[in-house]
Amino acid sequence: MTTDLTKNLIELEREKVLSEVKERLNQNDDPMKIFEECKQGMEIVGEKYKQKEYFLAELMLSGDLFREVMELIEPRLGKVKTEGDIKGKMVLTTIKGDIHDLGKNILATLLKLEGIEVYDLGVDVDPDIVVEKVKEIQPDFLGFSSLLTITFDPMKEVINRLEEAGLRDKLKILVGGGITTSLVKDYIGADFQTIDAMEGVNYCLEIIKSRVVVKTRGGI
Ligand code: B12
């Protein structure tokens, strides 16, 4: 179902989008529902770009508008956990060639709300830097946000190099972003793939829970 919000976002009606978001937040509507409706709009903007109905200018406007929506939504999502509640660490990145960051940023926010510390390396990041940071930080998770097909080979390269360095086994690797599929996960050698940030967060929480159980059993 296409809501007014989704429709207005597709049509890049900035004022209408922002005023509806503000109004619904004031009425305590679920911020994640508002987010999903806007995300759906972004997918259709992408389709229109593909069909040459929209051009780069519209992609850019949609990106800016979505960011403005996120700025309104994020403070309503909850409280970031404090140091004592940290359950795990993720190095998160968008690899070389790709500058899309809206999905990555929402994932980072949702992870922090659940007590997963995020080392966000940013966008267009060289594989060397990702490998170095994983060596340095020794995270539980490595997350790749990918919106361009040209990122598949550099992500695969990072994973191969982590394997060669003996760092792969301890690490769970997630890949997400609108264009990814389970085939991409298999191709690059990741453990988990999703196009829904919350599913990624839940996967991390399950892994952390299972590790706690194993440790507890080991201690008996
Ligand atoms: C907005 C947008 C842009 C903006 C990005 C602004 C920004 N700061 O991010 C701008 C204008 C910069 C842009 C540029 C380009 N874009 Co663009 N863009 C989009 C668009 C319309 C929306 C992307 C988006 O933000 N969606 C909303 C977010 C919230 O969704 P998401 O990223 O999927 O994230 C969600 C989940 O996937 C998940 N998630 C995301 N990452 C991760 C990571 C992990 C670990 C986990 C667990 C979960 C997770 O969490 C999020 C919430 O649920 C998409 C269309 C689409 N279908 O995605 C095209 C799209 C990605 N772009 C595309 C293209 C071609 C380009 C350009 C090459 C265009 C050009 N000619 O220059 C450039 C590339 C620039 C570059 N080098 O990166 C193509 C990619 C095609 C391909 N297969 O490679 C798409 C698919 C459009 C299309 N249908 O053709 N783009």
Side-chain angles (χ1 to χ4, degrees):
M1 194 190 71
T2 309
T3 64
D4 279 353
L5 182 57
T6 309
K7 192 170 140 285
N8 285 329
L9 193 134
I10 298 165
E11 287 167 7
L12 305 169
E13 293 276 5
R14 180 175 175 274
E15 296 307 327
K16 287 187 187 165
V17 168
L18 296 179
S19 70
E20 177 168 349
V21 171
K22 283 180 200 160
E23 200 180 306
R24 284 175 56 179
L25 288 171
N26 283 340
Q27 287 164 4
N28 289 327
D29 199 355
D30 178 1
M32 281 312 279
K33 186 166 174 285
I34 298 174
F35 167 77
E36 286 301 335
E37 287 174 33
C38 292
K39 184 176 165 231
Q40 199 192 336
M42 296 298 274
E43 277 155 28
I44 299 171
V45 168
E47 275 310 303
K48 285 184 179 282
Y49 174 79
K50 207 167 143 189
Q51 307 300 333
K52 300 198 177 356
E53 199 181 319
Y54 275 2
F55 298 94
L56 189 57
E58 282 84 6
L59 274 194
M60 288 166 79
L61 285 173
S62 73
D64 289 345
L65 182 50
F66 191 84
R67 190 189 313 279
E68 284 187 87
V69 169
M70 288 317 299
E71 279 166 12
L72 296 172
I73 288 179
E74 278 187 1
R76 307 293 183 103
L77 290 176
K79 273 207 172 117
V80 172
K81 297 271 190 291
T82 49
E83 217 168 290
D85 298 314
I86 299 296
K87 299 175 190 143
K89 289 189 252 179
M90 177 184 284
V91 167
L92 178 61
T93 191
T94 300
I95 206 89
K96 204 172 178 55
D98 190 351
I99 60 162
H100 295 84
D101 66 356
L102 301 170
K104 173 179 70 57
N105 295 346
I106 179 77
L107 174 73
T109 302
L110 296 175
L111 286 166
K112 289 180 211 162
L113 293 173
E114 291 300 332
I116 297 173
E117 200 171 358
V118 178
Y119 296 79
D120 187 348
L121 307 185
V123 296
D124 193 22
V125 180
D126 196 279
D128 286 347
I129 296 178
V130 184
V131 173
E132 277 314 305
K133 285 289 167 189
V134 169
K135 281 185 185 159
E136 178 192 322
I137 294 161
Q138 307 258 322
D140 307 278
F141 307 102
L142 169 61
F144 287 113
S145 184
S146 161
L147 272 295
L148 294 180
T149 40
I150 56 161
T151 61
F152 299 164
D153 283 317
M155 291 191 291
K156 187 180 167 76
E157 179 195 330
V158 169
I159 298 177
N160 286 343
R161 286 172 56 187
L162 291 172
E163 205 149 353
E164 281 160 23
L167 293 165
R168 177 67 181 91
D169 289 351
K170 293 185 209 150
L171 197 61
K172 290 289 180 197
I173 302 180
L174 295 82
V175 61
I179 57 141
T180 62
T181 61
S182 65
L183 287 176
V184 173
K185 175 199 78 150
D186 294 341
Y187 176 73
I188 68 169
D191 299 298
F192 184 80
Q193 178 276 329
T194 180
I195 54 165
D196 176 340
M198 216 45 231
E199 273 183 21
V201 174
N202 289 334
Y203 171 79
C204 294
L205 293 175
E206 282 303 315
I207 295 288
I208 291 166
K209 211 162 89 188
S210 67
R211 285 182 181 164
V212 172
V213 171
V214 170
K215 268 191 197 158
T216 314
R217 286 206 186 116
I220 293 170

